[in-house]
Amino acid sequence: MKKIIVFIIFILTSVNCYASTDLEILNANKLKALHIYHGYPDGTLGLDKNITRAEISNLMIRILGYQNVALNGSEKVKLKDVEKSTWYEQGVKNIVVLNIMQGYPDKSFKPQENISFAECVCLMVRTTKNDIGLKGTWPNNYITKAKALGIIGSNNNTSPTKKLTRGEVATILYNTLNVPIK
C-alpha cells in the first residue's frame, strides 16, 4: 500500500499542474489575432507549456517586424548551440544583433532552455528601450523598471528564476505592447 501511495504522489508531483488563467487566455488570443502569437500544429497555443529562449526570441523578432529578414551583422553572430537551418536560427541571430537578448560567455545561447521571469522582464524592458541609463543590479533594476512601466503588476513578487509558461509570457508581452518605445 505504501508503494502505491508513493507512486501516486510521484505522479502528481511530476505532472505540470499549471492551468492558464482567464487573463492569460484572453491576452494570448489577442496576440494570436494580431498574428504575433502562433500556436502548435494541432491548433493549440500551449499556454500551460514553458516557453524557450528560441521561442521568445522569434516572438520578439516577429513583433519588431524582422521575421524572414537577415539583419546586417547577423551573419557574424556565432553561437555554438544555434545550428544552421533550424526554425529559430535567424530570429536568434537577429535578436542578438539588436542587442535585446544575448548569448552566454561560453558562446552559447541555450535556445532550448526555458526562459526565466528575470530574463523575460529584461527582454521586454530592452525591447521598449527603457533600459538606457538604468541603474542598479540585475535583475532587480529591470524588475523595478518593468513595474514602473506597467509591464508587470506593481505587486508582482515572482521569483526571478521562475520558468515562465507561454500563458504568463502572453500577459507580460501584451502589457509590453502598451509601453511607448523610447
Side-chain angles (χ1 to χ4, degrees), residues 5-23:
I5 292 171
V6 169
F7 179 73
I8 291 171
I9 291 171
F10 171 77
I11 294 297
L12 290 175
T13 58
S14 299
V15 175
N16 183 357
C17 296
Y18 180 83
S20 301
T21 67
D22 290 342
L23 182 61

Side-chain angles (χ1 to χ4, degrees), residues 1 26 52 60 67 97 105 149 163:
M1 186 65 167
L26 176 68
T52 66
M60 299 310 293
Q67 74 276 14
V97 166
L149 294 169
K163 302 303 181 183

